[in-house]
Amino acid sequence: MTGPVFAIDPRQRDIATELHASVRELPLICPHGHVDPRILADDEPFPDPARLLVVPDHYVTRMLLSQGITPARLGVPSSAEDAGVETDGRTIWRLLAANWHLFRGTPSRLWLERTFSTVFGIDTPLRAETADEVYDAIAARLAEPAFRPRALFEQFGIEVLATTESPLDDLARHAKLEADGWGGPGGRVITTFRPDEVVDMEFAGWAGKVARLGEITGLDTATFPGFLAALRSRREAFIAAGATSSDHGHPTARTVALSETEANELFTRALRGEASPADAETFRAHMLVEFARMSLDDGLVLQLHPGAVRNHNTWLHAAHGRDVGGDIPQATDYVRALQPLLDLHGNDPRLRIVLYTLDETAFSRELAPLAGGYAALYLGAPWWFLDTPDGLRRFRESVTDSAGFYNTAGFVDDTRAFCSIPVRHDIARRVDAAYLASLVVQDRLPFDEAAETIADLAYHLPKRVFRLDARRSPTQEVESR
Amino acid sequence: MTGPVFAIDPRQRDIATELHASVRELPLICPHGHVDPRILADDEPFPDPARLLVVPDHYVTRMLLSQGITPARLGVPSSAEDAGVETDGRTIWRLLAANWHLFRGTPSRLWLERTFSTVFGIDTPLRAETADEVYDAIAARLAEPAFRPRALFEQFGIEVLATTESPLDDLARHAKLEADGWGGPGGRVITTFRPDEVVDMEFAGWAGKVARLGEITGLDTATFPGFLAALRSRREAFIAAGATSSDHGHPTARTVALSETEANELFTRALRGEASPADAETFRAHMLVEFARMSLDDGLVLQLHPGAVRNHNTWLHAAHGRDVGGDIPQATDYVRALQPLLDLHGNDPRLRIVLYTLDETAFSRELAPLAGGYAALYLGAPWWFLDTPDGLRRFRESVTDSAGFYNTAGFVDDTRAFCSIPVRHDIARRVDAAYLASLVVQDRLPFDEAAETIADLAYHLPKRVFRLDARRSPTQEVESR
Amino acid sequence: MTGPVFAIDPRQRDIATELHASVRELPLICPHGHVDPRILADDEPFPDPARLLVVPDHYVTRMLLSQGITPARLGVPSSAEDAGVETDGRTIWRLLAANWHLFRGTPSRLWLERTFSTVFGIDTPLRAETADEVYDAIAARLAEPAFRPRALFEQFGIEVLATTESPLDDLARHAKLEADGWGGPGGRVITTFRPDEVVDMEFAGWAGKVARLGEITGLDTATFPGFLAALRSRREAFIAAGATSSDHGHPTARTVALSETEANELFTRALRGEASPADAETFRAHMLVEFARMSLDDGLVLQLHPGAVRNHNTWLHAAHGRDVGGDIPQATDYVRALQPLLDLHGNDPRLRIVLYTLDETAFSRELAPLAGGYAALYLGAPWWFLDTPDGLRRFRESVTDSAGFYNTAGFVDDTRAFCSIPVRHDIARRVDAAYLASLVVQDRLPFDEAAETIADLAYHLPKRVFRLDARRSPTQEVESR
């Protein structure tokens, strides 16, 4: 099975296929994702096919929920005692197979089918009648040593994989990985600094988390300067564990530069439990400016992905917790929101901010003009609901005019689903190949430049933008221009 | 004339043509439209071509108005005494023909031309010189018995057609149709419950309409509980006349769950004439929650189509009244607006809400993620300004990623133009065929699944979503999963 | 080199090529642009290639800035004494060539490359190694008499070119042009009335500019009626210099009809320096209504292009001034914003308003429904960040459904870059040819109508909409229908 070609015209398909072939085997750069580092630290066999491919995949469980099949029937853990969570992997798998038609035309279908085929070597089409056959075949593979996480990591051709951790994480799995020759600065598995839970006052137990940050760092986080110092300290620890970027998931892209006095006052008021939702928004906005300042010093690339209404599905959240498919995008402004931060540091090429969106109307109207006009800005790959063949295509069609290719940051798989990583990168490469082929066919770009570009998009650009290459300091980078 | 194929590549065109051929003759399911039931109840011959195809078609009259040709010159009725409304059908028709170039590339051109061709058998291209020839040919057909409404209904292959009535309507035409073996539950012509004029306090004469609702039902609509009881009573009457859905046209998608006390207070204040525009918005928002509750009991599918600024063209409204082309879409939020309703009932598969939009930015950002994550939600077909070959294509390209095909509700023609019904369904089937063919050509979907899908989209899915199949109760449906 | 064809399928390419060939040699109508009239009045040789093609092109300098190459290094003038502005054209050119890959897939690449090829006859691909060769070849051409501005104007086939001037401009260059047989009403070079700096109270030195307007006209601009009279007076002067349109660049599309008293009060308050930002917005909104009234009298076509956040990049603005690439689009509402103006004059076919946007979400949702339903409205070509092959294509795909072709105003190059004018028009013609070819291939439009349409779009329609043909009065035009 050679895989989909995201073009229709025969000549475009031929050129796309040739461009894709030229980057097909390039190593995978995975600077942004949510794989549990324990998987690679422990290197235990994966559990059954349903627990590997269905239960943790919120794309899959939400689609089934949309047709009335509850997460509990799909084995999604629940805090409710009487949830009746299904525990038999085969039963879950059969439910997926019986409803496989729901996924026609969706990226989930593509990811799973290509995973069956390219990772597990199974080309039997999934349907109700073949559910057991496919299940058993995958289960058999999972029992083999070649399907242990580290073996797959190498088979997948991953050069570097970033996981995501809170500043409260002790990075013990990364220490284990480093001890095994897999982690540390320049290593194969690195971490990412994701401080949302200590920055977002609306997180349950925020003040306690801030106190815990103080304990971990031995600094007094009861004051705002101490809080900042503690964050800086954790960033150093993360950098020592290989981190080259931070990751910030905010409801909006708003930034604001409070005075020191204002920030102190807001912070201490919040610790007293007196912060309003507007205060929380202001604090998140101000902290983006603080993190930009820290990045100027320590070189972490600042990733911002705003625009999700978290836990929109309140029943789902109550029954099954966060990150199980209940978030919904909302319209997101970048132009006014980012201006305070850009006023301060937007023209500083030592700073590197990667912007994501769930609102594709921002592509041509806001994000491309911003990234094509500020030295600090790069556009992250289409994210989440937009991380699809058509979403990736529309991204290129919408941003290239004003941002070109070289203000984009390359594909990020952004996934918890370890086994889907090679498939996701492959699809992104295929989509970029088809887009570049369309330019070639229209006589807008010579083939040789298209070939150079696809290699940059697939490999060199993410490595450079996320500072995974020479791991040089920002100042060294700028001086070399 | 075989008709347009909405694809360019020869292989895609071949596959699209084959897919379309497989559903071309399937009966038409018309669950949402605005045909006057009198047409079918009386079964009188249609008037002249202009009165049939130009005067009542606001797509056509607004385009001509945009070039300075007034609705009066096109025969659109006016309340103004000195309007000088044209009464000669041939004169109106010649004006259309002389300005036919304005419609190049528009859906009106396609609908009219295909209607001439497939309904009336006329392939002469319309232009100034052929105006009389085409007019006379259509007029001749309209005089034949085979072109009476009921004969056309059967020739068109319509399986079921829903009209739209106010709760204040006595459903007399539907009673006549039932007496003739054409109406009633499970019949060929059914009604739809459209309560806007008694729900929207901003309608002229709202309080009087509420009083009239009380008279019709014999219930005391001066209190909110009585008002709700009267609505429930009318819903039962509508269901007895075959209705399977309600239809709600609101300026926004806002929902809110007032307490009983708050709702009572707001309702009685409004009856006293003391409601503000904000009150009216709140009341509409609350009533959507009430209607969802009623739907849970009586099974009517709740259709919501928000986002039109009604009577934006105030001169047009003053001169010619409502629904003559003076409405304009506006940006529409669904994510925050629907949350109160979804909090209460969004995960209940017994509830079925079909969402429409005039704001296509919501397709990928809001509507598809919502419909792909809540059991109660389905996406209605592209509506009004978006009910075009390109609008239908962009709908599939934008929503399939997150919602798939099976959270969409199938095509609705939404038309008053009876003779355009087969053409509109045919174009929708052709567009879906072309979209599915694009997936086949790209190796994203096997042909056999594409063929099954197009039959579902064209026939089975609207029948099921609008509860037109077994006409089972919502609970029976859910239990059968 | 025959140039790009913006289609992929061979048959569509053939038809597009044929349609393009049929309009390729039609004269250029340039009703909206920002060429410095001095260039044509003085007819001096152009300076070196960098000063002609790089330094003044903010598309180019902002892209380089986005990768950390400062405008000063590119020769962009600065008010800062220590800016270190590069003065050597060759050095600037080499910097462009060394970073040429940044422009892959962008319109700048296309415009520059096609300018090299079709204007200067240079087909050597630009890259670091060929920088000097290309530079020297262009420089050699620029020294030839055939490359003087007026000679190029004729070679380009420009029929009419509108520049843009403030009411404070003395139109001396246009007087010179008229004296030379190049300007005046019906002439080859005309002006456009652009009153922003005396209308927008947020312009630095606004009150002084208003006073200056009084001096120029000999009218008392210290009162609002005097201010309006002065503007009318300048409009007459502009019309005498050939103007057929006015041009209004506002942050939003808001309109409002103040009473005479309110307007007087606001105006005099502002002259006292007491206007708030909200006052300034209201005044701009009201002035659009005033300008529409003036247009009804004097026939100037009113162009409105809202939606840019001017000087978003504050560092860039401080260092290098306005219009150097630091503006960013924002989401823009038209439906509510324009209603006050449309209520008054939207159905008057004597008024002609051409609307532009930087927010393409408005195309299908707002602009096409508005232009397809109001006699006064026309859609301007995709503007600025959207003036690209893909932007032009998406415009047609989004607006044709509701507005057709004949409510659009034709291409405007909107450029300061004189040498890019033929290339920009040619690309727009190629994109329209490809779009029309797509309709032909899909059997949605016969070839002969496509051919008539492309000639209208390329030539006849802009001439008519911008009143450049018979230069008849609005009333004469309407009466002729």
Side-chain angles (χ1 to χ4, degrees):
Chain A
M1 188 178 181
T2 55
V5 180
F6 299 105
I8 289 175
D9 173 78
R11 194 173 151 231
Q12 186 188 356
R13 288 175 65 88
D14 286 348
I15 297 170
T17 301
E18 191 176 344
L19 289 171
H20 173 247
S22 74
V23 296
R24 178 168 204 149
E25 304 298 331
L26 285 181
L28 307 185
I29 303 296
C30 308
H32 178 121
H34 305 293
V35 168
D36 185 344
R38 194 184 313 264
I39 291 173
L40 289 155
D42 296 352
D43 199 31
E44 297 287 337
F46 286 111
D48 68 73
R51 264 179 201 75
L52 177 63
L53 298 171
V54 179
V55 180
D57 186 336
H58 56 68
Y59 287 89
V60 171
T61 57
R62 80 193 306 277
M63 178 61 92
L64 292 163
L65 172 61
S66 80
Q67 289 292 312
I69 298 162
T70 61
R73 292 177 64 196
L74 297 163
V76 178
S78 172
S79 54
E81 281 183 26
D82 60 345
V85 172
E86 180 59 56
T87 55
D88 180 53
R90 189 177 297 272
T91 301
I92 295 166
W93 191 261
R94 286 175 180 167
L95 205 46
L96 172 71
N99 288 282
W100 193 228
H101 64 286
L102 300 180
F103 296 92
R104 286 178 190 156
T106 69
S108 295
R109 159 85 176 236
L110 213 48
W111 292 329
L112 284 169
E113 223 165 48
R114 295 287 296 162
T115 299
F116 300 163
S117 165
T118 63
V119 177
F120 297 106
I122 298 164
D123 287 326
T124 307
L126 187 66
R127 46 178 197 267
E129 306 80 49
T130 62
D132 284 0
E133 178 189 338
V134 174
Y135 186 86
D136 291 334
I138 297 174
R141 295 287 180 291
L142 293 178
E144 299 172 20
F147 289 81
R148 291 277 182 90
R150 291 189 184 177
L152 284 176
F153 189 103
E154 295 189 341
Q155 189 210 307
F156 291 169
I158 298 174
E159 184 171 312
V160 56
L161 174 75
T163 67
T164 316
E165 274 73 41
S166 158
L168 305 184
D169 190 282
D170 64 5
L171 302 179
R173 271 87 63 192
H174 290 80
K176 167 74 158 59
L177 283 159
E178 188 169 4
D180 292 356
W182 276 71
R188 279 180 280 190
V189 182
I190 62 177
T191 183
T192 303
F193 183 75
R194 171 89 182 240
D196 294 356
E197 67 173 336
V198 296
V199 162
D200 189 339
M201 296 167 172
E202 296 184 300
F203 260 72
W206 172 74
K209 291 174 195 290
V210 171
R212 176 86 193 107
L213 180 67
E215 290 162 24
I216 291 170
T217 56
L219 292 161
D220 177 13
T221 55
T223 72
F224 188 61
F227 175 69
L228 294 181
L231 289 170
R232 285 181 179 268
S233 160
R234 290 309 292 152
R235 288 167 72 100
E236 287 311 314
F238 274 62
I239 290 167
T244 69
S245 72
S246 67
D247 181 21
H248 307 269
H250 286 197
T252 73
R254 202 174 149 219
T255 62
V256 69
L258 299 178
S259 71
E260 213 178 300
T261 310
E262 289 168 330
N264 280 336
E265 194 279 328
L266 172 53
F267 180 77
T268 51
R269 182 149 44 85
L271 283 184
R272 292 197 307 268
E274 296 167 10
S276 67
D279 286 334
E281 171 73 355
T282 301
F283 190 70
R284 289 187 297 257
H286 175 70
M287 285 306 298
L288 287 179
V289 173
E290 294 287 358
F291 286 126
R293 286 177 188 144
M294 294 182 200
S295 282
L296 280 166
D297 292 334
D298 64 23
L300 289 186
V301 175
L302 191 162
Q303 299 180 79
L304 175 61
H305 47 270
V309 178
R310 298 284 172 177
N311 310 316
H312 188 276
N313 193 326
T314 50
W315 168 82
L316 189 62
H317 182 227
H320 298 281
R322 298 174 64 88
D323 300 327
V324 290
D327 306 343
I328 300 285
Q330 66 180 337
T332 305
D333 158 66
Y334 292 84
V335 173
R336 298 291 185 185
L338 291 176
Q339 197 167 21
L341 173 53
L342 295 173
D343 270 357
L344 290 169
H345 306 297
N347 296 287
D348 190 334
R350 295 172 304 155
L351 179 63
R352 196 160 291 168
I353 299 174
V354 178
L355 295 173
Y356 300 88
T357 195
L358 294 173
D359 176 0
E360 58 182 319
T361 71
F363 282 160
S364 76
R365 185 182 59 215
E366 305 181 22
L367 291 172
L370 285 166
Y374 281 100
L377 295 182
Y378 286 80
L379 300 184
W383 174 45
W384 202 343
F385 295 97
L386 301 175
D387 168 21
T388 70
D390 287 311
L392 291 157
R393 172 181 56 78
R394 290 197 298 264
F395 172 73
R396 290 286 174 217
E397 288 180 353
S398 299
V399 308
T400 306
D401 281 339
S402 297
F405 293 103
Y406 293 88
N407 287 299
T408 66
F411 183 68
V412 302
D413 53 70
D414 188 30
T415 193
R416 286 180 260 168
F418 180 67
C419 287
S420 75
I421 289 176
V423 170
R424 287 171 189 250
H425 283 262
D426 184 62
I427 286 174
R429 291 172 181 190
R430 287 171 185 265
V431 172
D432 282 341
Y435 176 69
L436 286 161
S438 79
L439 298 182
V440 173
V441 176
Q442 293 175 66
D443 304 314
R444 295 165 68 177
L445 196 68
F447 181 84
D448 63 336
E449 291 190 64
E452 190 180 296
T453 305
I454 190 133
D456 285 339
L457 298 180
Y459 181 74
H460 303 289
L461 198 51
K463 217 168 151 174
R464 183 170 67 77
V465 172
F466 284 97
R467 293 188 166 129
L468 293 162
D469 44 2
R471 321 250 172 139
R472 295 174 296 173
S473 79
T475 305
Q476 283 173 318
E477 258 178 4
V478 170
E479 284 168 356
S480 74
R481 285 185 214 202
Chain B
M1 188 179 180
T2 54
V5 180
F6 298 104
I8 289 175
D9 174 79
R11 193 172 152 230
Q12 186 189 357
R13 287 174 66 87
D14 287 347
I15 296 170
T17 301
E18 191 176 344
L19 289 170
H20 173 247
S22 74
V23 295
R24 178 169 204 149
E25 304 298 331
L26 285 181
L28 306 187
I29 303 295
C30 308
H32 178 122
H34 305 292
V35 168
D36 185 345
R38 195 184 313 265
I39 290 173
L40 289 155
D42 297 351
D43 200 31
E44 297 287 337
F46 285 110
D48 69 73
R51 265 179 200 75
L52 177 64
L53 299 171
V54 179
V55 180
D57 187 336
H58 57 67
Y59 287 90
V60 171
T61 57
R62 79 192 309 276
M63 178 62 91
L64 292 162
L65 172 60
S66 80
Q67 289 292 312
I69 298 161
T70 61
R73 292 178 65 197
L74 297 163
V76 178
S78 171
S79 55
E81 282 182 25
D82 60 346
V85 172
E86 180 58 57
T87 57
D88 180 54
R90 189 177 298 271
T91 301
I92 295 167
W93 191 260
R94 286 175 180 165
L95 206 45
L96 172 72
N99 288 282
W100 193 230
H101 64 287
L102 300 179
F103 296 93
R104 285 177 190 155
T106 69
S108 295
R109 159 88 176 234
L110 212 49
W111 292 329
L112 285 169
E113 223 165 48
R114 296 287 296 162
T115 300
F116 301 163
S117 165
T118 64
V119 177
F120 298 106
I122 299 163
D123 287 325
T124 305
L126 186 67
R127 46 178 196 268
E129 306 79 48
T130 62
D132 284 1
E133 178 190 337
V134 174
Y135 185 86
D136 291 333
I138 296 175
R141 296 287 180 289
L142 292 178
E144 299 172 18
F147 288 82
R148 291 277 184 89
R150 290 189 185 177
L152 283 176
F153 189 103
E154 294 189 342
Q155 189 210 306
F156 291 169
I158 298 175
E159 184 172 312
V160 57
L161 174 75
T163 66
T164 317
E165 274 73 41
S166 157
L168 305 184
D169 190 284
D170 64 5
L171 301 179
R173 272 87 62 193
H174 290 81
K176 167 74 158 60
L177 282 160
E178 187 167 3
D180 292 355
W182 276 72
R188 279 181 280 190
V189 183
I190 61 177
T191 183
T192 304
F193 183 75
R194 172 88 183 240
D196 293 356
E197 66 173 337
V198 295
V199 162
D200 189 339
M201 296 167 173
E202 296 184 299
F203 260 71
W206 172 74
K209 291 174 194 290
V210 170
R212 177 85 193 108
L213 180 66
E215 290 161 26
I216 290 170
T217 56
L219 292 161
D220 177 13
T221 55
T223 71
F224 189 61
F227 175 70
L228 293 182
L231 289 170
R232 284 180 180 269
S233 160
R234 292 308 293 153
R235 288 167 72 100
E236 286 311 315
F238 274 62
I239 290 167
T244 68
S245 72
S246 67
D247 182 20
H248 307 269
H250 286 197
T252 73
R254 202 177 148 216
T255 63
V256 68
L258 299 179
S259 71
E260 213 177 300
T261 311
E262 289 168 329
N264 282 335
E265 194 280 327
L266 172 53
F267 180 77
T268 50
R269 183 149 44 85
L271 283 185
R272 291 194 310 268
E274 297 167 10
S276 66
D279 286 334
E281 171 74 355
T282 301
F283 190 69
R284 288 188 297 260
H286 175 71
M287 283 307 297
L288 287 178
V289 173
E290 293 288 358
F291 286 126
R293 284 177 189 146
M294 294 183 200
S295 282
L296 280 167
D297 291 336
D298 64 23
L300 289 187
V301 175
L302 191 162
Q303 299 180 78
L304 176 60
H305 48 269
V309 178
R310 299 285 173 177
N311 310 315
H312 187 275
N313 193 325
T314 51
W315 167 82
L316 190 61
H317 182 227
H320 298 281
R322 299 174 62 89
D323 298 328
V324 290
D327 306 342
I328 300 284
Q330 65 181 337
T332 306
D333 158 67
Y334 292 84
V335 173
R336 298 290 186 186
L338 291 176
Q339 197 168 22
L341 173 53
L342 295 173
D343 270 358
L344 290 169
H345 306 296
N347 296 286
D348 189 334
R350 295 172 306 155
L351 180 63
R352 197 161 290 168
I353 299 173
V354 178
L355 295 173
Y356 300 89
T357 195
L358 294 173
D359 177 0
E360 59 183 319
T361 69
F363 282 161
S364 76
R365 186 183 58 215
E366 305 182 21
L367 291 172
L370 285 166
Y374 281 100
L377 295 182
Y378 286 79
L379 301 184
W383 174 44
W384 201 344
F385 296 97
L386 301 175
D387 168 20
T388 70
D390 288 309
L392 291 157
R393 172 182 55 78
R394 290 197 297 264
F395 172 72
R396 291 285 174 218
E397 289 179 353
S398 298
V399 308
T400 307
D401 282 337
S402 297
F405 293 104
Y406 292 89
N407 287 300
T408 66
F411 183 68
V412 301
D413 52 72
D414 188 31
T415 193
R416 288 179 259 168
F418 180 67
C419 288
S420 77
I421 288 176
V423 170
R424 287 172 190 250
H425 284 262
D426 184 61
I427 286 173
R429 291 173 181 190
R430 288 171 184 266
V431 173
D432 283 340
Y435 176 69
L436 286 161
S438 79
L439 298 183
V440 173
V441 175
Q442 293 175 66
D443 305 315
R444 294 165 69 177
L445 196 68
F447 180 84
D448 63 335
E449 291 191 64
E452 190 179 298
T453 304
I454 190 133
D456 286 338
L457 297 181
Y459 181 75
H460 302 290
L461 198 51
K463 219 168 150 174
R464 182 169 68 77
V465 172
F466 284 97
R467 293 187 166 132
L468 294 162
D469 44 1
R471 319 252 172 138
R472 294 174 297 173
S473 79
T475 304
Q476 283 172 319
E477 258 179 4
V478 170
E479 283 169 355
S480 75
R481 282 183 216 204
Chain C
M1 189 178 178
T2 57
V5 180
F6 299 106
I8 290 175
D9 173 78
R11 194 172 152 231
Q12 186 189 359
R13 288 174 66 86
D14 286 348
I15 297 170
T17 301
E18 191 176 345
L19 289 171
H20 174 247
S22 73
V23 296
R24 178 168 205 151
E25 304 299 330
L26 285 181
L28 307 186
I29 303 296
C30 308
H32 177 122
H34 305 292
V35 168
D36 185 345
R38 195 184 311 264
I39 290 173
L40 289 155
D42 297 352
D43 199 31
E44 297 288 338
F46 286 111
D48 68 73
R51 266 181 200 72
L52 177 64
L53 298 171
V54 179
V55 179
D57 186 336
H58 56 68
Y59 287 89
V60 171
T61 57
R62 78 193 309 277
M63 178 62 93
L64 292 163
L65 173 60
S66 80
Q67 289 291 312
I69 297 161
T70 61
R73 294 178 64 196
L74 297 163
V76 178
S78 172
S79 55
E81 281 182 27
D82 59 345
V85 172
E86 180 59 57
T87 56
D88 180 53
R90 188 178 299 272
T91 300
I92 295 166
W93 192 261
R94 286 175 180 165
L95 206 44
L96 172 71
N99 289 282
W100 193 229
H101 64 286
L102 300 179
F103 296 92
R104 285 177 191 157
T106 69
S108 295
R109 158 86 176 235
L110 213 48
W111 292 329
L112 284 169
E113 222 164 50
R114 296 288 296 162
T115 300
F116 300 163
S117 165
T118 64
V119 177
F120 297 105
I122 298 163
D123 287 325
T124 307
L126 187 66
R127 44 177 197 267
E129 305 80 47
T130 63
D132 284 1
E133 177 189 339
V134 173
Y135 186 86
D136 290 334
I138 297 175
R141 296 287 181 290
L142 292 178
E144 300 172 19
F147 288 82
R148 291 277 182 88
R150 290 188 186 178
L152 284 176
F153 189 103
E154 295 189 341
Q155 188 211 308
F156 291 170
I158 298 175
E159 184 171 311
V160 57
L161 173 75
T163 67
T164 317
E165 274 73 41
S166 159
L168 305 184
D169 190 284
D170 64 5
L171 302 178
R173 271 87 62 191
H174 290 80
K176 168 75 158 59
L177 283 159
E178 188 167 4
D180 292 355
W182 276 73
R188 279 181 280 189
V189 182
I190 61 178
T191 183
T192 303
F193 183 74
R194 172 88 183 240
D196 294 356
E197 67 173 337
V198 295
V199 162
D200 189 339
M201 297 167 171
E202 296 184 300
F203 260 71
W206 172 74
K209 291 174 195 288
V210 171
R212 177 87 192 106
L213 180 66
E215 291 161 25
I216 291 171
T217 56
L219 292 161
D220 176 13
T221 56
T223 72
F224 188 61
F227 175 69
L228 294 181
L231 289 170
R232 285 180 181 268
S233 161
R234 291 309 292 152
R235 289 167 72 99
E236 288 310 315
F238 274 62
I239 290 167
T244 68
S245 72
S246 67
D247 181 20
H248 308 269
H250 286 197
T252 73
R254 201 174 149 218
T255 62
V256 69
L258 298 178
S259 71
E260 213 178 299
T261 313
E262 289 168 330
N264 281 335
E265 194 279 326
L266 171 54
F267 180 77
T268 51
R269 182 150 43 86
L271 282 185
R272 292 197 307 268
E274 295 167 10
S276 67
D279 287 334
E281 171 73 356
T282 301
F283 190 70
R284 287 187 298 257
H286 176 71
M287 284 307 297
L288 287 178
V289 173
E290 294 287 358
F291 286 126
R293 286 177 189 146
M294 295 183 199
S295 283
L296 281 166
D297 292 336
D298 64 23
L300 288 186
V301 175
L302 192 162
Q303 299 180 77
L304 176 60
H305 48 269
V309 178
R310 299 284 173 179
N311 310 316
H312 187 276
N313 192 326
T314 50
W315 168 82
L316 189 60
H317 182 228
H320 298 281
R322 297 175 64 90
D323 299 326
V324 290
D327 305 343
I328 300 285
Q330 65 180 337
T332 306
D333 158 67
Y334 292 84
V335 173
R336 299 290 185 186
L338 291 176
Q339 198 167 22
L341 173 53
L342 295 173
D343 270 358
L344 291 169
H345 306 296
N347 295 286
D348 190 333
R350 296 172 305 154
L351 180 62
R352 198 161 289 168
I353 299 173
V354 178
L355 296 173
Y356 300 87
T357 195
L358 294 173
D359 176 0
E360 59 182 319
T361 70
F363 282 161
S364 76
R365 185 182 58 214
E366 305 182 21
L367 291 172
L370 285 166
Y374 281 100
L377 295 183
Y378 287 79
L379 301 185
W383 174 44
W384 201 344
F385 296 98
L386 300 175
D387 168 19
T388 69
D390 288 309
L392 291 158
R393 172 181 56 79
R394 290 196 298 264
F395 171 73
R396 291 284 173 219
E397 288 180 352
S398 299
V399 308
T400 307
D401 282 338
S402 297
F405 293 103
Y406 293 88
N407 287 300
T408 65
F411 183 68
V412 301
D413 54 70
D414 188 31
T415 192
R416 289 180 259 168
F418 180 67
C419 288
S420 75
I421 288 176
V423 170
R424 287 171 190 250
H425 284 262
D426 184 63
I427 286 174
R429 290 172 181 191
R430 287 170 185 266
V431 172
D432 282 341
Y435 176 69
L436 286 161
S438 79
L439 298 182
V440 173
V441 176
Q442 294 175 65
D443 304 315
R444 294 165 69 176
L445 196 68
F447 180 83
D448 63 336
E449 291 191 64
E452 190 179 298
T453 305
I454 189 130
D456 286 339
L457 298 181
Y459 181 74
H460 303 290
L461 198 51
K463 217 167 152 176
R464 183 170 68 77
V465 172
F466 283 97
R467 294 188 165 130
L468 293 162
D469 45 1
R471 319 252 172 138
R472 295 175 297 173
S473 78
T475 303
Q476 283 172 320
E477 257 179 4
V478 169
E479 283 168 355
S480 75
R481 285 185 215 202

